[in-house]
Amino acid sequence: MQIKQRHDWDLTTSEAKIIQEELQKEVITEDRFTEPVKYVAGVDMGFEADGTISRAAVAVLSFPDLHLQEQSIAKRATTFPYIPGFLSFREIPAVLDALQQINTIPDIILCDGQGIAHPRRMGIASHLGVILDMPTIGVAKSWLIGKYEEVPQTKGSWQPLIHKDETIGAVLRTRANVKPLYISSGHRISLPTAINYVLRCTPKYRLPETTRIADKLASAR
């Protein structure tokens, strides 16, 4: 997979914030991709050696049958500190390394993290989507910002995630009676379509198969 770097990664938080604000202008939250979707991918991160080594994993699955087609792992030194709201600068460099190793180009990438459900509407899914110019979805396991009503316990139920009077995502129950996930548009995909694909990628467990497999790869030793 060929990737064009959009900016440096050795940055201060002030410089990183400026990049987020500039790239956010390019984020598209409408459906801009061709169906039928044949391949979906998950990306996730793990860390080794007390966080000094970043370990990125990519899993590409066929769609809709969700069979693993290709996987890759990349490691590199961690150069950006852990700062909420700036995790993409810590994680994306290794993710790009892992993506460069794959030959099967996914139609949609599901990221373990936020899309526009972010203070500057520029979580890792949006950041990665703009860099790649590809459809991406934020599939976060934990809440970052916004308010929402209680989500019914049935699978497929969801509530809008609201921040400053704007719907920035959905709190989605992907499995009955388990904690919901926080779904948001990353890039080139609308929220309703993002919810649809997350559910179609989640036949059994809480996490989509894309993210679940990538998570295992990223945390394996």
Side-chain angles (χ1 to χ4, degrees):
M1 184 174 180
Q2 298 296 319
I3 295 171
K4 180 181 179 181
Q5 297 285 347
R6 293 289 304 272
H7 57 78
D8 292 333
W9 296 99
D10 185 12
L11 303 164
T12 66
T13 54
S14 296
E15 292 169 333
K17 183 179 179 180
I18 291 171
I19 287 174
Q20 286 179 330
E21 291 170 345
E22 287 300 311
L23 292 183
Q24 203 285 322
K25 298 172 185 176
E26 300 180 32
V27 172
I28 298 169
T29 54
E30 299 175 352
D31 294 331
R32 300 282 181 87
F33 62 94
T34 302
E35 295 185 295
V37 169
K38 296 181 179 179
Y39 299 103
V40 290
V43 299
D44 204 350
M45 286 292 302
F47 293 91
E48 302 177 6
D50 295 323
T52 61
I53 302 297
S54 300
R55 177 188 175 103
V58 176
V60 183
L61 281 63
S62 56
F63 185 86
D65 55 350
L66 303 177
H67 293 156
L68 181 63
Q69 302 296 303
E70 191 175 356
Q71 64 187 47
S72 68
I73 295 172
K75 299 182 184 182
R76 66 154 59 196
T78 306
T79 58
F80 199 90
Y82 176 86
I83 304 173
F86 294 93
L87 296 187
S88 61
F89 293 92
R90 179 177 172 87
E91 298 182 357
I92 285 182
V95 169
L96 294 179
D97 290 345
L99 285 168
Q100 285 180 319
Q101 298 176 19
I102 64 172
N103 296 309
T104 308
I105 307 303
D107 299 292
I108 300 174
I109 299 177
L110 286 73
C111 301
D112 178 35
Q114 311 289 347
I116 66 165
H118 179 276
R120 288 171 292 283
R121 308 295 186 259
M122 199 63 187
I124 187 171
S126 297
H127 197 155
L128 184 64
V130 170
I131 288 174
L132 301 175
D133 191 24
M134 293 180 63
T136 54
I137 302 172
V139 184
K141 296 188 287 287
S142 58
W143 171 89
L144 180 61
I145 59 168
K147 298 180 180 180
Y148 60 95
E149 301 294 330
E150 182 66 26
V151 182
Q153 293 293 329
T154 55
K155 178 176 179 175
S157 298
W158 64 277
Q159 290 286 349
L161 182 63
I162 309 295
H163 183 246
K164 296 183 178 178
D165 298 321
E166 178 185 357
T167 298
I168 58 171
V171 187
L172 174 66
R173 192 83 62 184
T174 53
R175 187 179 179 189
N177 301 310
V178 300
K179 292 181 180 180
L181 297 176
Y182 299 83
I183 311 302
S184 56
S185 302
H187 183 52
R188 288 177 49 182
I189 196 164
S190 66
L191 180 59
T193 303
I195 293 170
N196 176 46
Y197 275 100
V198 169
L199 286 173
R200 293 174 71 184
C201 290
T202 316
K204 185 176 180 181
Y205 300 100
R206 179 190 179 215
L207 294 178
E209 288 299 287
T210 47
T211 314
R212 194 175 70 85
I213 294 172
D215 177 75
K216 286 186 175 182
L217 291 170
S219 58
R221 294 292 182 269

